[in-house]
Amino acid sequence: MKTASSSRENILKKIKQALAKPVPLPFEETSKNQAFFINKGELELQFAENFAALQGRFSFCADEAELVQQLQTLFGTRQWTKLFVNEQSIRELFTRQHLDLASGINLADCDASITSCECLIARTGSMLLSSAQTGRTSSVYAPVHICIAYTSQLVFDLKDGFELVKKKYPSGTPSLITFASGPSRTADIEKTLVTGVHGPKEVFCFLVESR
């Protein structure tokens, strides 16, 4: 048991060390030259690297208290006051950690939308979202999407993600399942890659260590 705990601590330590420069608070531009070793068994590291490669902004949190601390730093740095939260579980999390958000914020007028997810796909650096949990628009129409996930939600591949959703909803798969992999991108105009055209210009993922 002690060996497993020590191994876990080493994994989390490597995440923090590897991501210290690419995404330091207050979330400056990611270094394109930064790279770090990934073991197939270390899903946290694999997701972090692949998500960052897709221009996502990743941050690891040791617990919910650190999550709220990092969110407050982000909100203050960006001067965001209009945060859209549609999920009761996230509101309850913020209440537990004494984070007060303005009420009555519309998605069309918000600075950023905060959602959960069904799971994180390590192999592709994607967040699997469903209409049953986040709704159909929360992660798409806001200028910035902030996703809160836990290490227990990490899976290796797309197949594992679909299996997880099937088990969670035995009476029927949600009507909409989407994958978010960093900010929206298009190269329709003269084959020039542009971000933030059909969706959020920035996507953040805060990964919280499960207890």
Side-chain angles (χ1 to χ4, degrees):
M1 189 73 178
K2 185 176 180 180
T3 302
S5 176
S6 176
S7 176
R8 186 68 173 174
E9 289 177 3
N10 288 335
I11 291 174
L12 301 179
K13 182 179 179 181
K14 281 194 275 186
I15 289 178
K16 285 197 170 184
Q17 290 176 340
L19 296 171
K21 291 184 179 180
V23 194
L25 290 172
F27 304 93
E28 297 174 356
E29 289 299 321
T30 301
S31 170
K32 294 182 179 179
N33 298 323
Q34 185 81 10
F36 50 91
F37 174 78
I38 294 222
N39 183 288
K40 284 188 177 181
E42 298 174 356
L43 297 183
E44 297 93 340
L45 284 172
Q46 191 166 13
F47 175 83
E49 182 183 62
N50 291 331
F51 182 69
L54 295 168
Q55 301 180 35
R57 296 176 179 269
F58 178 89
S59 187
F60 176 80
C61 308
D63 51 34
E64 290 182 346
E66 184 177 347
L67 163 69
V68 168
Q69 183 181 34
Q70 291 197 28
L71 286 174
Q72 288 175 321
T73 300
L74 175 61
F75 299 160
T77 301
R78 298 294 186 89
Q79 298 184 336
W80 290 340
T81 57
K82 297 182 292 184
L83 288 309
F84 178 81
V85 180
N86 193 41
E87 297 175 55
Q88 184 62 28
S89 61
I90 294 180
R91 291 192 174 277
E92 291 173 355
L93 185 163
F94 290 163
T95 298
R96 289 196 302 271
Q97 297 299 326
H98 310 290
L99 175 60
D100 296 323
L101 298 180
S103 59
I105 302 300
N106 294 320
L107 182 60
D109 302 322
C110 72
D111 296 315
S113 173
I114 306 174
T115 75
S116 63
C117 66
E118 295 291 356
C119 63
L120 301 178
I121 312 296
R123 187 175 183 181
T124 61
S126 304
M127 301 173 290
L128 192 159
L129 311 168
S130 81
S131 55
Q133 194 167 26
T134 63
R136 289 175 172 268
T137 59
S138 298
S139 63
V140 179
Y141 290 155
V144 176
H145 176 208
I146 298 171
C147 178
I148 297 173
Y150 292 82
T151 51
S152 60
Q153 293 178 282
L154 281 159
V155 298
F156 175 63
D157 209 347
L158 298 175
K159 179 181 177 182
D160 304 317
F162 282 121
E163 287 298 324
L164 185 150
V165 171
K166 287 180 180 180
K167 290 180 181 179
K168 183 176 179 180
Y169 302 100
S171 60
T173 304
S175 59
L176 178 68
I177 292 178
T178 59
F179 294 91
S181 304
S184 64
R185 294 174 291 277
T186 182
D188 292 343
I189 303 174
E190 297 183 356
K191 298 183 180 180
T192 300
L193 184 64
V194 180
T195 60
V197 176
H198 305 300
K201 294 182 179 180
E202 290 184 287
V203 177
F204 292 80
C205 181
F206 288 83
L207 182 62
V208 184
E209 167 69 358
S210 301
R211 297 301 181 188

